[in-house]
Amino acid sequence: MADLPHKATEIATGTARAAGDVLAARPVTHLCAAVLGGPPAFRRTLHVGQPNMPDQKAFLKRMQHILDSGRLTNWGPMVQEFESRVAGIAGAKHCIVTNNATTGLELAIAGMGMSGDVIVPSFTFVATVHALWRQGVRPVFCDIDPVRHCLDVACVEAAITSRTTGILGVHLWGNSCASDALRDLARRHDLKLLFDAAHAFGCQPGRPDGAYLGDAAVYSFHATKCVHAFEGGAIVTDDDDLAARLRLMVNFGFAGEDVVTYLGTNAKMSEASAAMGLTSLESMHLFFDHNRENYTAYAAGLADVPGVELMPRSANRVHNFQYVVTAIDPEQAGLSRDELVAALRLENVFARRYFYPGCHRMQPYAGLSPRAGQTLPVTEAVADRVMILPTGMALSARDVARVCARIAAIVQHAPKVRAALRHCTDPRLPDFARAADTAAGPH
């Protein structure tokens, strides 16, 4: 955090407005949190993952071209161009786009021949693990490092057995896994190395040497991602044989008009999705720069709020700043993460807890790690404290300052906020924070 501003931005006076939606600012000491009877900070709702909207005229021009051509799917010119652009940005020889990233993961797992056991973090979106399970592969949950929230290499090495065929790492929050170390480990043990890079499109580590991609990596272009294609994914790889295999598998395994050579599926991306993807790419650096400004505003606004720590970003050459990740210390803040999330919902700030309670405690995986409390201590601690805050083109730096001011006000009056949440029945509260649940405090 040394490179970030430490002095809180002055937000105590003046008027903060964005598109007429932000209420007039008041001194922090006089702010009354909505849970305590004050007006909400925003009239509109701020969401994590609010879609970024690229240039509509450019998108509609592409759509008109698609409609005029009559080519709606099956590797049309939009898909081909999108694949080429994504491969170039990723620094990969090959890109095979898919209808979504989950399908992309499943195809990559099958195409790479993963079987038996594959080591994977539990602290990830459940689709990462579902993709293994649906391919008949047993996920072996591994702990994460407490700083970047990516796979702990020492834990990975300790988890390798004779049944292990691969490692599935996650470039979480755009932070790179310890890619070099994982690649070396995979080579020593003859393991496949796949990365779920759903959070990491456009994020380039300081030294582009190919380790970041592993044997293959999968991006997400879901609507909630910084760069999106409505819905979509992409597999990138430098492996010529794997790429050729995957290109058949995304189209049912057809190698010719009547020749099927692989067990495939219908994973093709449509021309309309590719058109949105191309248009989003044209605004990619605008999105990244805006997210960086919001992140800097969060760093300033939260610097002096006790118990609310903003995760520093990796020192990448390029970072998308797509996720604003905080860790809540309930002893310092006076509130648990869940209580703070609940109080912010009443401000119309829909902060989120990710990825609670960890995949190892979700079905159908709960029985796979009976000793999770002993083997995944960092995962469980992080899952209890992580809170994600809204960002993206829908928020300005002034909006961010307003969010920070409300967080500061909520923490400042923590005992009153906790007491009010015990009796709150507002339907905006998340299910996990209903009146009876919030009384329990930290989980």
Side-chain angles (χ1 to χ4, degrees):
M1 298 278 296
D3 58 330
L4 299 174
H6 286 276
K7 186 176 185 299
T9 303
E10 293 297 329
I11 55 176
T13 60
T15 301
R17 291 189 176 275
D21 291 318
V22 183
L23 302 177
R26 291 180 290 172
V28 173
T29 55
H30 295 126
L31 283 178
C32 182
V35 70
L36 300 179
F42 297 89
R43 294 189 180 97
R44 60 190 170 112
T45 301
L46 306 187
H47 288 281
V48 172
Q50 182 76 25
N52 291 326
M53 297 301 180
D55 186 287
Q56 292 188 21
K57 290 183 179 179
F59 170 69
L60 292 174
K61 182 178 180 180
R62 286 190 168 98
M63 284 302 301
Q64 189 61 56
H65 180 78
I66 291 170
L67 295 174
D68 290 343
S69 72
R71 186 77 177 271
L72 304 184
T73 188
N74 288 349
W75 286 298
M78 296 288 177
V79 163
Q80 294 179 43
E81 183 182 355
F82 188 50
E83 287 186 335
S84 177
R85 292 285 305 279
V86 170
I89 292 169
K93 288 178 63 177
H94 305 283
C95 171
I96 301 92
V97 294
T98 57
N99 54 358
N100 60 62
T102 303
T103 304
L105 282 170
E106 291 188 13
L107 288 172
I109 290 162
M112 292 168 65
M114 287 182 165
S115 60
D117 293 352
V118 168
I119 297 168
V120 64
S122 173
F123 192 70
T124 183
F125 186 54
V126 71
T128 310
V129 185
H130 280 347
L132 290 169
W133 195 253
R134 285 173 57 84
Q135 295 305 306
V137 178
R138 179 178 178 266
V140 175
F141 294 117
C142 189
D143 215 355
I144 56 175
D145 77 76
V147 178
R148 291 181 300 179
H149 301 169
C150 297
L151 278 175
D152 184 307
V153 178
C155 293
V156 172
E157 186 161 22
I160 295 173
T161 71
S162 60
R163 282 180 48 83
T164 308
T165 65
I167 302 167
L168 174 47
V170 180
H171 294 313
L172 203 63
W173 320 128
N175 295 331
S176 174
C177 286
S179 305
D180 290 324
L182 288 174
R183 179 180 60 181
D184 293 343
L185 187 62
R187 286 176 175 173
R188 290 203 314 270
H189 293 273
D190 193 24
L191 304 176
K192 301 294 185 180
L193 179 59
L194 173 63
F195 286 116
D196 179 340
H199 288 186
F201 181 71
C203 296
Q204 297 296 332
R207 184 165 54 87
D209 60 358
Y212 189 73
L213 300 179
D215 294 314
V218 178
Y219 293 122
S220 173
F221 297 107
H222 186 266
T224 58
K225 298 301 184 285
C226 193
V227 173
H228 70 89
F230 292 133
E231 183 75 85
I235 310 167
V236 292
T237 183
D238 288 335
D239 186 323
D240 296 341
D241 291 337
L242 176 60
R245 219 163 29 246
L246 290 170
R247 196 162 290 285
L248 301 180
M249 292 172 71
V250 298
N251 186 34
F252 304 100
F254 277 106
E257 185 172 346
D258 298 309
V259 180
V260 175
T261 56
Y262 291 103
L263 176 62
T265 187
N266 183 9
K268 299 185 297 294
M269 177 180 281
S270 72
E271 285 288 273
S273 285
M276 176 55 79
L278 287 167
T279 311
S280 290
L281 287 179
E282 292 171 350
S283 297
M284 182 176 77
H285 289 292
L286 173 65
F287 297 158
F288 289 5
D289 289 345
H290 187 87
N291 282 351
R292 183 182 297 106
E293 291 174 3
N294 283 352
Y295 178 84
T296 301
Y298 271 118
L302 296 175
D304 297 325
V305 180
V308 181
E309 180 181 1
L310 183 65
M311 171 186 264
R313 298 290 84 185
S314 292
N316 291 11
R317 290 186 298 119
V318 182
H319 205 295
N320 60 29
F321 289 87
Q322 179 175 312
Y323 292 94
V324 177
V325 185
T326 63
I328 309 304
D329 184 330
E331 292 186 3
Q332 293 186 32
L335 295 168
S336 70
R337 183 272 315 277
D338 290 1
E339 290 170 325
L340 187 51
V341 167
L344 285 172
R345 292 286 175 94
L346 302 183
E347 307 288 355
N348 288 325
V349 177
F350 272 49
R352 297 283 303 278
R353 56 180 193 176
Y354 281 19
F355 294 97
Y356 185 86
C359 293
H360 66 285
R361 296 200 180 278
M362 298 177 181
Q363 294 300 335
Y365 313 110
L368 294 181
S369 300
R371 296 178 57 250
Q374 291 76 43
T375 60
L376 302 172
V378 179
T379 295
E380 298 212 324
V382 169
D384 273 344
R385 295 194 175 194
V386 159
M387 179 178 74
I388 312 300
L389 293 168
T391 189
M393 298 299 290
L395 272 77
S396 68
R398 289 183 174 181
D399 292 332
V400 171
R402 164 64 66 166
V403 173
C404 293
R406 286 305 170 100
I407 291 174
I410 290 166
V411 170
Q412 183 179 9
H413 301 286
K416 293 181 179 179
V417 168
R418 173 170 286 177
L421 285 172
R422 288 195 181 101
H423 305 287
C424 184
T425 58
D426 193 295
R428 288 173 296 177
L429 288 179
D431 291 342
F432 61 79
R434 298 298 178 184
D437 297 326
T438 57
H443 290 278

